[in-house]
Amino acid sequence: MKVLIVGGVAGGASAAARLRRNDEKAEIIMFERGEYISFANCGLPYYIGNVIEERDELLLKTPEDMKARFNVDVKVKSEVLSIDRENKKVSVKKVDNGEVYEESYDKLILSPGSSPLKPPIPGIDAPNIFTIWNIPDTDAIKDYVDNKKIKKAAVIGGGFIGIEMAENLHDLGIEVTIVELADQIMAPIDFEMAQILHQHVNMKNVELVLNDGVKSFDYKDGTTLITLNSEKTLDADMVILSIGVRPNGELAESSGLKTNKRGGIVVDKHMRTSDEDIYAVGDAVEINDFINNIETMIPLAGPANKQGRIAADNIAGKDVVYKGTQGTSVAKVFDMTVSATGSNEKILKKIGKEFGRDYQYIYIHPNNHAEYYPDASKINMKLLFSPVDGKILGAQAVGFEGVEKRIDVIATVIRFGGTVYDLTELELAYAPPFGSAKDPVNMAGFVAENFLKGTVDMVHWNELGQYDEKDYVVLDVRKKEELETGCFQNSVNIPLDSLRDRADELDRDKMILIYCAVGTRGYIAARMLQQMGFGNVKNLSGGMTTLNSINYMPNSMLLKNILGTNNNNSNNSEDNGGNEMKRVNSIDVEKISLNCSGLQCPGPIMKVFETIKTMNHGDLVEVTATDMGFAADISEWCKRTGNTLVDIKTENKSIVTTIMKGLKEDGHAEEAGERTDKSMVIFSGELDKVIAGFIIANGAAAMGRDVTMFFTFWGLNALRKPENVPVKKTFVEKMFGFMMPRGAGKLKLSNMNMAGMGSVMMKSIMKQKNVDTLETLMETAKRSGVKIVVCTMSMDVMGIKKEELIDGLEYGGVASFLAASERSDATLFI
């Protein structure tokens, strides 16, 4: 039997080796248009970046190797021009001299691969614009980088190769910008997961231009001006094109073989084309999507190798089928790892519209190994599954360590048709340096199982808008110190450990939407409230960690944007910060190192908070953390607490920040968070002024501030009960009570009251504009922990009794107010 193979690399070389192992007597000839039949195309960017030092390391098999070990006759620089299917011959051109000859076959395997897209953009053929797909491409880029003074590079496309090229050029000291037409990099994962990568890439001082494509290139004197569709311009000394690939299906199509609209070669489950004697494998073939049972194209090396093996087995007389590709992938994105398997949400949404298939998903953020073992880091995971039977549809993970291990486990479960319930039962290897007794894979199963069984209902970040704000209460069960990193507006903060004692502060008639940092405490709180009789409780899946990822603004974590400086060299920022501090402060600057590695939120923030309290004003603390969310948290925390973020970067798979305590010239040491309370005197009893007071109070409470409202004289009227309360009073006190408005609903406007018509009109407009009533604002304030203090002296003077005032108030005198005022950085008189 004589078998010809067109194309090498993964599919063709694998088919040749397998065929020889099946049949020692077969005549096997392989044709390769280029010079190299088997090379590590996934390693090409790392050779350019000098991670792989020797070029020969990229060459996996040479023609001589294939001849010696497998007795395969390899003909390089030989292009197959056509296939004569009737006479079972191919026409071959020798690239070096143009000679054309024919070669017969009994069986033919096509492994033509794919080619990088190069659209007809004006100026795209400039000498400093490159694609990277094979060894010659790599040689050209390597030579250009090594011999030209490259300062700026632009990478067009944020896929696997594009990101790897950006990383390696950056590591060579080149300033890199990534341009991506979509709203995210790394298409196999969903937007909210990609946002974690966006932040990490930015922290490497690599700028991202998303939702924008290239309109034109203009080359002049070694520099290319890139004009984008948005008319934004970039200049670069070098441009790398990595905007996708197309299948090399021309030979098959011209030979009358069946191809799809994209030019992909259509094959059956035996990898056989529409001609029973011709097989096809690799990037150029249309295969079955294992998850959704539809035809698709997924160019990955692993599936190509398996397809080559299956084609060879069937040629050798075996009956072997290819059961489909589920798209399991992994990539290094600077210090992080991103991995995925199965379908993402984008695909499932499209499938759902076409075939009516539903799906559900959960987020978790566990550590890669035991938290108490050094250097634990967070894995951000998303699991997608069927709400009908729990069958796993896909999974995505982003983190520093142990990411691909978890995805590989889930990919295996998917391959055997497993469900989320199977994840809960997996017995996985455990020791503190490698995992947890409840592995992240188990945890994903537990959370999904709880949802499917109705143990706890959950709500996703993109579902919050479907609820009317008046119908629910947002409950934050984090610790008070965590509020400095951001919180929901108008949320009620009751730390989890206090919830049993304070649950009565919540409105049982409303939905309770619970959130915490990652979802774990929210789950515990939900179970607690459910068993205390709360009938409608939902937990925010993934907590604030997922929400913060969604809300990340690309490029906001670039050093120049965080620190307000144009200095892009993060390696020098620490020294600059130290020198700046010495200019501002007369005292000597001390630097403390704080290792928060392995701690999950709120651990790092809490340790920083405790350390800052012990430091002198102007001192520096360098904090190392492995929790990726710490980057956003510490930036927000510094803004809210008056401390200064001097530097932030990623280093050895950790977040490293330098923080200076305070920024005042007197060098006085104050505790972090001191004098951040808000206090106000409510003297007025006029509707608009009291509303303003409560709006300010609720806003401050939502930012995690302690708020004290001191009601005195006419302001007491806002706190009166609307109904008449029979109490013993003197004649004068009764007269005062008769003349004054009774409660919030009877207050008048300070201007344009018009005998009460102004108040009615104001309330009508507020209702139309969905502005809370004063009564609602007051209840929100009490739930948010705002301290409402009533001046007892004013009560005596105004003849108002305690029984006449609403519940939830405190009573005191001027000393109570002054104590609150001294703790405040702002005191308002209304």
Side-chain angles (χ1 to χ4, degrees), residues 417-431:
T419 68
V420 299
Y421 307 111
D422 295 315
L423 298 185
T424 70
E425 298 178 2
L426 292 178
E427 184 178 334
L428 303 174
Y430 160 62

Side-chain angles (χ1 to χ4, degrees), residues 451-745:
F451 170 73
L452 289 177
K453 290 185 174 181
T455 305
V456 167
D457 198 2
M458 66 181 178
V459 61
H460 290 303
W461 60 271
N462 56 356
E463 296 173 339
L464 295 174
Q466 71 186 25
Y467 302 111
D468 190 324
E469 292 184 3
K470 296 180 180 179
D471 295 334
Y472 66 83
V473 175
V474 180
L475 174 61
D476 185 337
V477 295
R478 298 175 300 163
K479 295 180 180 179
K480 177 182 175 182
E481 292 80 4
E482 295 176 73
L483 303 183
E484 300 291 358
T485 65
C487 58
F488 277 93
Q489 187 176 6
N490 296 327
S491 60
V492 178
N493 176 229
I494 304 178
L496 177 61
D497 295 340
S498 304
L499 185 56
R500 283 187 181 87
D501 298 328
R502 297 178 57 188
D504 288 340
E505 298 177 24
L506 301 171
D507 189 340
R508 293 175 181 270
D509 295 328
K510 292 187 176 183
M511 180 192 304
I512 309 297
L513 297 181
I514 309 173
Y515 75 95
C516 62
V518 297
T520 304
R521 286 174 288 177
Y523 164 72
I524 297 170
R527 294 293 294 136
M528 187 185 302
L529 291 178
Q530 285 174 332
Q531 295 175 72
M532 295 173 71
F534 286 81
N536 194 354
V537 180
K538 296 180 184 291
N539 183 32
L540 178 63
S541 181
M544 286 295 287
T545 299
T546 296
L547 197 65
N548 286 338
S549 295
I550 296 296
N551 293 330
Y552 177 69
M553 298 297 294
N555 302 322
S556 63
M557 293 301 287
L558 286 173
L559 188 62
K560 62 182 180 181
N561 292 334
I562 296 176
L563 307 181
T565 174
N566 290 323
N567 178 19
N568 286 323
N569 187 354
S570 62
N571 294 328
N572 294 329
S573 60
E574 178 180 308
D575 293 336
N576 290 341
N579 292 336
E580 180 180 349
M581 298 311 12
K582 289 178 181 177
R583 288 197 298 272
V584 175
N585 297 278
S586 59
I587 62 175
D588 291 333
V589 175
E590 180 182 358
K591 184 175 180 180
I592 301 172
S593 294
L594 182 62
N595 187 358
C596 298
S597 298
L599 295 182
Q600 279 196 344
C601 180
I605 286 291
M606 298 295 292
K607 286 194 72 171
V608 172
F609 175 70
E610 293 299 325
T611 302
I612 286 282
K613 289 197 298 185
T614 66
M615 292 167 51
N616 289 321
H617 184 86
D619 285 350
L620 303 175
V621 56
E622 183 181 77
V623 187
T624 302
T626 49
D627 178 6
M628 188 63 194
F630 178 69
D633 284 351
I634 197 62
S635 177
E636 190 66 23
W637 185 86
C638 286
K639 293 176 185 176
R640 292 172 178 267
T641 58
N643 295 293
T644 304
L645 186 60
V646 177
D647 188 24
I648 187 166
K649 57 192 174 185
T650 57
E651 188 177 273
N652 297 325
K653 301 183 179 180
S654 298
I655 309 297
V656 181
T657 66
T658 302
I659 304 163
M660 182 194 69
K661 180 170 180 176
L663 190 59
K664 294 182 181 179
E665 296 184 3
D666 59 9
H668 174 63
E670 295 179 354
E671 290 187 357
E674 186 180 349
R675 292 181 59 81
T676 61
D677 295 355
K678 312 297 178 189
S679 60
M680 58 182 72
V681 179
I682 307 297
F683 177 83
S684 173
E686 294 165 317
L687 176 64
D688 44 341
K689 294 180 181 179
V690 179
I691 286 177
F694 274 102
I695 288 175
I696 295 170
N698 285 331
M703 294 176 64
R705 306 308 189 201
D706 285 339
V707 182
T708 299
M709 302 179 75
F710 188 75
F711 281 76
T712 184
F713 285 96
W714 311 115
L716 296 179
N717 292 317
L719 306 179
R720 294 178 70 188
K721 293 178 180 177
E723 69 275 9
N724 182 29
V725 179
V727 291
K728 187 176 180 180
K729 289 188 176 185
T730 67
F731 175 77
V732 175
E733 289 173 339
K734 289 180 180 179
M735 289 299 296
F736 257 97
F738 176 77
M739 291 186 292
M740 292 187 301
R742 185 182 291 129

Side-chain angles (χ1 to χ4, degrees), residues 36-85:
Y36 307 95
I37 59 160
S38 182
F39 59 90
N41 51 356
C42 295
L44 300 181
Y46 298 101
Y47 171 63
I48 293 171
N50 295 328
V51 176
I52 299 173
E53 296 181 355
E54 298 297 329
R55 181 178 181 273
D56 289 346
E57 295 293 326
L58 300 173
L59 306 178
L60 304 180
K61 285 287 184 290
T62 66
E64 294 75 19
D65 294 333
M66 293 296 288
K67 181 65 176 178
R69 179 164 297 183
F70 299 109
N71 191 26
V72 174
D73 185 9
V74 178
K75 299 181 182 296
V76 296
K77 296 184 178 181
S78 298
E79 181 180 5
V80 176
L81 300 175
S82 62
I83 304 172
D84 181 351
R85 292 168 52 198

Side-chain angles (χ1 to χ4, degrees), residues 761-778:
M761 293 169 62
M762 172 70 76
K763 292 174 183 178
S764 175
I765 293 172
M766 289 171 64
K767 184 176 182 180
Q768 294 174 15
K769 301 295 184 180
N770 291 320
V771 177
D772 286 338
T773 63
L774 175 55
E775 292 87 343
T776 301
L777 290 170
M778 292 168 69

